[in-house]
Amino acid sequence: MRARDLLAAFPTVTADTAVVEAARLLAGQDLPGLIVVDERGLPVSILPGTQVLRLAVPGYCLDDPALARVVDEAHADAFLSSLADRTVRQALPPDGSSGRSSGRRELPVTDPDATVLELAALMARTHSPLVAVVEQGRLLGAVTLQALLDRVLAA
Amino acid sequence: MRARDLLAAFPTVTADTAVVEAARLLAGQDLPGLIVVDERGLPVSILPGTQVLRLAVPGYCLDDPALARVVDEAHADAFLSSLADRTVRQALPPDGSSGRSSGRRELPVTDPDATVLELAALMARTHSPLVAVVEQGRLLGAVTLQALLDRVLAA
C-alpha cells in the first residue's frame, strides 16, 4: 500500500484566502486541516485545523487564558466574524523563506511511492493529520490520518 | 454559547489501553483524538490523532525519514499489528508528574461555562482538536474543533 492508493482529492487555499473562508471549508467538508498552495498550485504549508483556528483567535486570548474568560458570551460568539480582513497569509512563514531551506520545519509533503509507514511517521513527526502528495511538480491530493488508519486497520 | 451547549459524549481510553485498540477507536468513530482518563475517570491527557499514531510508529522511523523509506511495502503495511503489547501509557508523562504541576504542558480541559472564544483559544494554544469538559470532578464530554466551527459559523 502506497500513498497513491490512499490519496484523495483535497481542497486547497492560498495565502490570500480569508480566514473565515478557510474555517468554512474546514467545517463544511469536515477536513482535518488545509493545504496552502502557491501560484503554481504547489503546497507551501499544511495547516492543521487547530492552526486555522489560531488565526481566528485574538492574540491576547492565545497568550493568556484568563483574558479569554473576561470576554462576555455575546462577543465571544462573534469572534470569527470580527476577522473579515484577515487572511491565511498570517499563518505562513515570512516571505523569502518559502521552499525547504535548512532551519525550516519539515512539511508533511511526500511522493506517491511513500509507504503507509512513511506516511504515519511523517504525520507523527510533523503533528499533521494530513499529508500532501506531490508528483513532478503537481499536487495529486492528500492522505488523511483517518484514511490511513482505516486502510491499515482493514488490511 | 458555552461549552455545555457544544459538548458531546466522548469515548475514553486508559493508560492500559492497547495502542491498536486506541487506533481502532479513533478510526472507527472518526475522532480527532482521544481522552485518556485515570481510575477516577478524569482526564490525565488528551492525545490528538497524530500522537496516537506516533505510538504506533517505530522510533527509528520518527527520527529519520530515510529509515522509514527502506522498510519494504509488506512490512510497512503491517506496522500497526506489530505492536500488540504496546499501550497508551507510553504517550503519557512519567508517573508522579500527573496533575497540573508547574512546568507541565497545559491540558485542553475546561469547565462547562467556557465560551466559544475560550474553547478556540485553548484548542489553538494546545494544538488539540478536542477539549475535555469537566465539572465537579466528573468528565461531562468533549467539544471538538468541528463541533465548535459548525456552531460558530452557523450562528
Side-chain angles (χ1 to χ4, degrees):
Chain A
M1 205 162 19
R2 303 273 178 171
R4 69 175 81 256
D5 310 313
L6 293 165
L7 65 81
F10 205 88
T12 60
V13 297
T14 71
D16 296 321
T17 303
V19 168
V20 179
E21 218 36 67
R24 265 186 220 291
L25 191 59
L26 206 63
Q29 301 193 32
D30 207 359
L31 306 174
L34 292 174
I35 301 175
V36 188
V37 295
D38 61 15
E39 58 286 346
R40 296 165 303 167
L42 284 175
V44 288
S45 190
I46 315 284
L47 301 180
T50 52
Q51 220 177 320
V52 176
L53 201 61
R54 167 177 283 268
L55 283 167
V57 173
Y60 64 88
C61 294
L62 289 175
D63 298 336
D64 188 346
L67 285 176
R69 175 121 293 196
V70 299
V71 174
D72 67 47
E73 188 172 342
H75 281 93
D77 283 357
F79 83 96
L80 246 180
S81 51
S82 62
L83 293 168
D85 57 347
R86 226 163 169 186
T87 65
V88 165
R89 191 177 307 281
Q90 268 94 0
L92 303 180
D95 243 38
S97 74
S98 66
R100 302 287 298 278
S101 59
S102 63
R104 275 291 304 291
R105 284 176 58 184
E106 182 181 23
L107 268 188
V109 175
T110 191
D111 61 81
D113 286 330
T115 63
V116 288
L117 180 57
E118 284 182 79
L119 289 164
L122 192 51
M123 288 178 187
R125 262 203 317 274
T126 59
H127 299 272
S128 173
L130 76 155
V131 166
V133 183
V134 169
E135 185 177 44
Q136 296 181 333
R138 203 165 64 85
L139 176 67
L140 300 182
V143 179
T144 64
L145 192 148
Q146 286 294 342
L148 179 80
L149 282 183
D150 283 348
R151 290 291 294 274
V152 168
L153 289 166
Chain B
M1 203 161 22
R2 304 274 179 171
R4 69 174 82 256
D5 310 312
L6 293 165
L7 65 81
F10 205 89
T12 59
V13 296
T14 71
D16 296 321
T17 303
V19 168
V20 179
E21 219 35 68
R24 265 186 220 292
L25 191 59
L26 205 62
Q29 301 194 33
D30 208 359
L31 307 174
L34 291 174
I35 302 176
V36 188
V37 296
D38 62 15
E39 60 285 347
R40 296 166 303 167
L42 284 175
V44 287
S45 190
I46 314 285
L47 301 180
T50 53
Q51 221 176 318
V52 176
L53 201 60
R54 165 177 284 268
L55 283 167
V57 174
Y60 64 86
C61 293
L62 290 174
D63 298 336
D64 188 344
L67 285 177
R69 176 123 292 198
V70 299
V71 174
D72 68 47
E73 189 172 341
H75 282 93
D77 283 357
F79 82 97
L80 247 180
S81 51
S82 62
L83 293 168
D85 57 346
R86 225 162 168 186
T87 65
V88 165
R89 192 178 305 280
Q90 268 94 359
L92 303 180
D95 242 39
S97 74
S98 66
R100 303 287 298 279
S101 60
S102 63
R104 274 292 303 292
R105 283 175 59 184
E106 182 182 22
L107 269 189
V109 175
T110 191
D111 62 80
D113 286 329
T115 63
V116 288
L117 180 57
E118 285 180 80
L119 290 164
L122 192 51
M123 287 178 188
R125 261 203 319 273
T126 59
H127 299 273
S128 173
L130 76 155
V131 166
V133 183
V134 169
E135 185 177 44
Q136 297 181 333
R138 203 165 64 86
L139 175 67
L140 300 182
V143 179
T144 64
L145 191 149
Q146 287 294 342
L148 178 81
L149 282 183
D150 283 349
R151 290 291 294 272
V152 168
L153 289 166

